[in-house]
Amino acid sequence: MAADTDARWVPIAVSADIPNGTVVPARLPTRMIAVWRAASGDLYANADRCPHRGMRLSHGFVRGQTLSCIYHGWRFGSDGACQKIPAHPAVEPPNTINCGPLPMTEANGVVWGAAVSPAVAPDQFTGHNALRSLVIAASVDAISSACKGRRVDGTIRAQLGGQNTILLMNDYGSGEVQVIALVPSGISAPNGMKVSTALEVLRRTAEGMGDAA
């Protein structure tokens, strides 16, 4: 991948889907990552691979301000450095054992990640907040056509469920696109459900276009 692809913010999750003390898998264009929220509420990301035996860290668990691998319990801090090896409690882990911290930030209820620190903050969508995330097995073009949307700066703007909705795109490059839907701030629960239902219709329609092709 080109360096400019690595050094850009990518929408990877909805903030509400990562409560304190949890870890989830996510994807950047160049790699799988583990995104975790410490007990303090701070958000971190690492390569989704334990340096010990290669187990996915997104299968692990958060303990206080650390992320532990589920296989042998190796514990990593916010800087990616190994802090503890349970099988050898008297040994101080060397600095070379590190699971690779990655840039991470939040805005409008969206978690943004990058492989290399971007020069600027992610876009701000004033007046909108994240509703939900879904993965659609279709191209960005098919998604745009299915919702009759308007492409604006890497997003799709469309009327879904009667609401002005902004769709953020995380193109996995493998025939799947993660879509994070932003809806007007303060939207009522019933209207939010209408948008969510419209998103499921959008998924089926866009995926059906691929089947027809």
Side-chain angles (χ1 to χ4, degrees):
M1 282 290 178
D4 60 344
T5 299
D6 287 341
R8 67 178 177 87
W9 291 114
V10 177
I12 58 173
V14 174
S15 294
D17 292 340
I18 315 175
N20 292 6
T22 60
V23 56
V24 300
R27 287 179 66 169
L28 293 175
T30 55
R31 70 193 71 184
M32 292 296 298
I33 62 175
V35 182
W36 56 284
R37 197 182 296 276
S40 64
D42 295 322
L43 192 69
Y44 303 104
N46 304 94
D48 196 9
R49 183 180 184 277
C50 180
H52 182 213
R53 292 293 181 86
M55 175 63 71
R56 292 183 62 177
L57 288 172
S58 59
H59 293 327
F61 54 93
V62 177
R63 179 175 292 165
Q65 297 297 110
T66 61
L67 174 63
S68 293
C69 179
I70 198 171
Y71 195 17
H72 291 108
W74 286 32
R75 193 176 301 174
F76 302 90
S78 60
D79 60 354
C82 184
Q83 294 187 353
K84 184 176 181 179
I85 300 176
H88 303 282
V91 175
E92 182 177 347
N95 295 332
T96 53
I97 301 178
N98 194 295
C99 60
L102 296 166
M104 189 70 31
T105 190
E106 295 180 88
N108 305 93
V110 178
V111 177
W112 300 80
V116 178
S117 293
V120 297
D123 292 335
Q124 298 293 312
F125 298 95
T126 304
H128 282 74
N129 282 294
L131 175 70
R132 60 168 294 195
S133 170
L134 69 161
V135 175
I136 300 178
S139 67
V140 173
D141 287 340
I143 295 169
S144 180
S145 296
C147 66
K148 298 180 173 59
R150 180 168 55 95
R151 305 277 282 272
V152 180
D153 295 332
T155 70
I156 297 174
R157 312 295 176 100
Q159 279 283 322
L160 294 176
Q163 303 294 319
N164 293 321
T165 307
I166 300 173
L167 303 179
L168 307 182
M169 303 286 116
N170 180 6
D171 191 344
Y172 290 164
S174 58
E176 292 183 320
V177 178
Q178 180 187 16
V179 176
I180 296 180
L182 305 182
V183 293
S185 303
I187 188 174
S188 67
N191 283 335
M193 286 298 298
K194 290 179 182 178
V195 176
S196 188
T197 299
L199 287 167
E200 291 301 329
V201 174
L202 169 60
R203 187 211 304 262
R204 292 194 296 271
T205 303
E207 292 179 349
M209 288 179 172
D211 293 340

